[in-house]
Amino acid sequence: MPKSIFLPGLMTESDSRTLTRHGRNDGSSLLYHAQHRDDTVWCPSNIKEKNITRVSEFHLMGLSDDPRLQPILFGLFLFMYLVTMLGNLLIILTVSSDSHLHSPMYFFLSNLSLADISFTSTTLPKMIVDIQTHTRAISYSGCLTQMSFFMLFGCLDSLLLAVMAYDRFVAICHPLHYQVIMNPRLCGLLVFVSVLISLLVSQLHNSIVLQLTYFKSVDISHFFCDPSQLLNLACSDTFTNNIVMYFVGAISGFLPISGIFFSYYKIVSSILRMPSPGGKYKAFSTCGSHLSVVCLFYGTGLGVYLSSAVSLSPRKGAVASVLYTVVTPMLNPFIYSLRNRDIKRAMWQLLRKTV
């Protein structure tokens, strides 16, 4: 039976082709001929990896093939990207310009806004340019770079939310020792460790992807180089890949979620013991914004995971992933600014100074 493989230098946007391998029974020679990519693709089974080199580029299939939707998608995602950038930059400028906001909670918030800017900038600019230029090609190195930064800033978002939950836990459960515990040195260390762990997760994922030598297809049914999509296209033993991916998922997902659940368990237990209804409301209000962002971030991520598991269409999973890759970073500044009086006051002061 013919087996199709992808070789470098042949995967161009204008001519996406697979090379079909025909071997004689004695295995002494190989004959390659071009075959359209719409045909059935098999992974090579008897080829040594040293004889196969990597593909030169992939094709990002985007959200839709309908030409009439492209101008709408371009305008929509350009608007969302600009709103995300302006909103999160405003949060960073507000926190840095107001001395009353130089506290651990707002320090972590400004770092979260910076991570959201970087997270969105990893995927959206490429997508907007692709829609405008009517191209879908992304080089192998470009795909790997995009995937690395996606994992880095996605994991950093998750860890910073866990750090912010710990900050709220200390503020509510140990208010008298809050300034001593959450000192500037510890705050800087928590952010540094979060970045370090995110880099570790990103490099672990890269170590798996760099071992992938040949692929079933060069078409990625997404608007960016989604790690799970690329691993699904790989022709390799998935056992080791799955072990590393489960480990990466545990670090970037399970551990932060466990820390958040533990922190809020302690917070709720402490609040319920408060005798004053006013004190309970004030304590809950300090956690409202963070809890909303946590529910939005992990809720949309879980929704994307469940939708991709239920739906057989990768394109629907790509549409669902817009929620946590684009919508969540865009809404975070609004959630914190609308629910926080200190942020709103500082923003108005900043706007009056600039005007």
Side-chain angles (χ1 to χ4, degrees), residues 20-328:
T20 306
R21 172 183 181 267
H22 293 280
R24 295 203 306 261
N25 292 334
D26 59 1
S28 61
S29 65
L30 294 174
L31 174 64
Y32 294 96
H33 68 81
Q35 180 188 35
H36 293 294
R37 67 180 180 184
D38 293 334
D39 294 344
T40 303
V41 176
W42 294 275
C43 289
S45 58
N46 298 316
I47 300 179
K48 294 181 180 180
E49 289 193 13
K50 64 182 181 180
N51 295 328
I52 305 296
T53 48
R54 303 184 189 281
V55 298
S56 60
E57 63 182 30
F58 293 98
H59 298 149
L60 301 175
M61 303 309 293
L63 299 177
S64 175
D65 294 323
D66 190 348
R68 295 171 297 180
L69 289 178
Q70 302 309 307
I72 299 175
L73 291 175
F74 174 80
L76 176 63
F77 284 100
L78 179 61
F79 171 77
M80 295 172 75
Y81 181 63
L82 292 177
V83 170
T84 302
M85 294 291 290
L86 292 174
N88 284 285
L89 282 175
L90 186 59
I91 291 287
I92 296 172
L93 290 174
T94 301
V95 172
S96 60
S97 63
D98 195 323
S99 59
H100 296 92
L101 300 181
H102 292 175
S103 64
M105 181 176 70
Y106 298 111
F107 170 72
F108 296 133
L109 176 59
S110 59
N111 279 277
L112 180 67
S113 294
L114 183 60
D116 282 338
I117 289 174
S118 305
F119 185 57
T120 307
S121 299
T122 302
T123 57
L124 265 191
K126 169 65 177 171
M127 178 189 180
I128 294 170
V129 171
D130 286 352
I131 294 175
Q132 181 66 17
T133 58
H134 306 288
T135 181
R136 293 179 174 178
I138 182 170
S139 65
Y140 178 86
S141 59
C143 184
L144 188 63
T145 302
Q146 187 184 61
M147 196 161 40
S148 301
F149 283 112
F150 177 81
M151 294 294 296
L152 170 64
F153 295 116
C155 181
L156 184 58
D157 258 349
S158 182
L159 292 172
L160 285 176
L161 288 174
V163 169
M164 294 172 75
Y166 174 73
D167 173 72
R168 293 299 85 205
F169 158 72
V170 176
I172 293 175
C173 299
H174 305 283
L176 298 179
H177 302 92
Y178 177 73
Q179 296 295 335
V180 177
I181 297 174
M182 300 303 296
N183 56 75
R185 183 178 179 181
L186 179 62
C187 293
L189 181 62
L190 288 173
V191 173
F192 175 75
V193 170
S194 298
V195 174
L196 202 61
I197 294 175
S198 300
L199 283 170
L200 173 64
V201 167
S202 177
Q203 293 308 308
L204 276 174
H205 192 275
N206 276 356
S207 66
I208 289 296
V209 176
L210 286 171
Q211 296 177 17
L212 305 180
T213 311
Y214 37 90
F215 299 84
K216 293 177 284 187
S217 174
V218 292
D219 293 337
I220 300 176
S221 300
H222 222 296
F223 62 90
F224 67 95
C225 285
D226 182 55
S228 60
Q229 290 275 337
L230 197 61
L231 289 175
N232 288 336
L233 294 177
C235 294
S236 62
D237 180 24
T238 59
F239 179 74
T240 305
N241 295 352
N242 288 337
I243 291 178
V244 176
M245 289 306 296
Y246 286 138
F247 179 70
V248 168
I251 295 177
S252 60
F254 179 74
L255 290 181
I257 291 176
S258 300
I260 291 171
F261 271 117
F262 177 78
S263 297
Y264 274 100
Y265 166 75
K266 291 292 187 180
I267 289 172
V268 171
S269 300
S270 179
I271 290 176
L272 292 178
R273 291 195 297 267
M274 293 180 179
S276 170
K280 291 181 179 179
Y281 174 78
K282 184 177 180 180
F284 269 122
S285 63
T286 60
C287 302
S289 299
H290 176 259
L291 196 57
S292 300
V293 172
V294 167
C295 293
L296 185 63
F297 182 79
Y298 287 106
T300 53
L302 182 62
V304 170
Y305 175 78
L306 294 176
S307 65
S308 61
V310 174
S311 176
L312 298 177
S313 173
R315 185 65 65 85
K316 292 182 180 179
V319 174
S321 66
V322 172
L323 290 175
Y324 78 92
T325 57
V326 182
V327 176
T328 300

Side-chain angles (χ1 to χ4, degrees), residues 333-344:
F334 294 98
I335 293 173
Y336 276 101
S337 60
L338 293 176
R339 296 181 60 91
N340 191 299
R341 294 179 180 178
D342 293 333
I343 289 287
K344 286 191 289 187

